[in-house]
Amino acid sequence: MSSLLQGVALANTTSREQQSVIARWTGENICKMGTERFYALPEDDVRKLFESQTSMRYDDIPLNPSESERNRITSQLTGYISAVCPGELENYRKL
């Protein structure tokens, strides 16, 4: 997830709801596109997708999430992928 977050705002805290939105949005798009294609998207494309598919701004994604934020997002994202598109889980874990 950290490579996706390059160039994003320096906000250090996000609400649990925002963390859930980030995790679910990422999981949905990984399941639609595949892990490699999703993480290969140019940042401008990711920004446009995120802002058009969520109620958040791309700049709301923390550049340096706290340990608890990172763990919560990763846990939710992994859970979503394993439930919806388990074939992508190994690809995601390789990142």
Side-chain angles (χ1 to χ4, degrees), residues 4-5 17 27 35 44 63 70 79:
L4 171 67
L5 302 178
E17 182 179 333
T35 305
D44 285 341
L63 180 59
R70 185 173 50 254

Side-chain angles (χ1 to χ4, degrees), residues 14-95:
T14 53
S15 69
R16 287 181 181 226
E17 182 179 333
Q18 288 173 314
Q19 293 166 25
S20 180
V21 168
I22 293 165
R24 183 173 182 94
W25 176 83
T26 303
E28 287 173 350
N29 281 285
I30 285 174
C31 289
K32 286 179 193 172
M33 297 179 203
T35 305
E36 291 176 16
R37 184 170 164 229
F38 175 75
Y39 282 104
L41 288 173
E43 185 174 354
D44 285 341
D45 290 353
V46 174
R47 176 183 294 276
K48 288 175 192 171
L49 276 173
F50 185 78
E51 291 183 353
S52 70
Q53 295 175 346
T54 72
S55 60
M56 293 174 60
R57 294 177 317 139
Y58 184 70
D59 293 333
D60 292 336
I61 299 172
L63 180 59
N64 295 308
S66 69
E67 185 73 22
S68 65
E69 287 174 310
R70 185 173 50 254
N71 288 340
R72 193 171 292 113
I73 291 169
T74 300
S75 176
Q76 290 180 24
L77 175 55
T78 302
Y80 183 89
I81 292 171
S82 64
V84 177
C85 57
E88 284 300 319
L89 191 56
E90 191 61 35
N91 293 332
Y92 171 72
R93 287 184 174 157
K94 290 178 185 177
L95 294 176

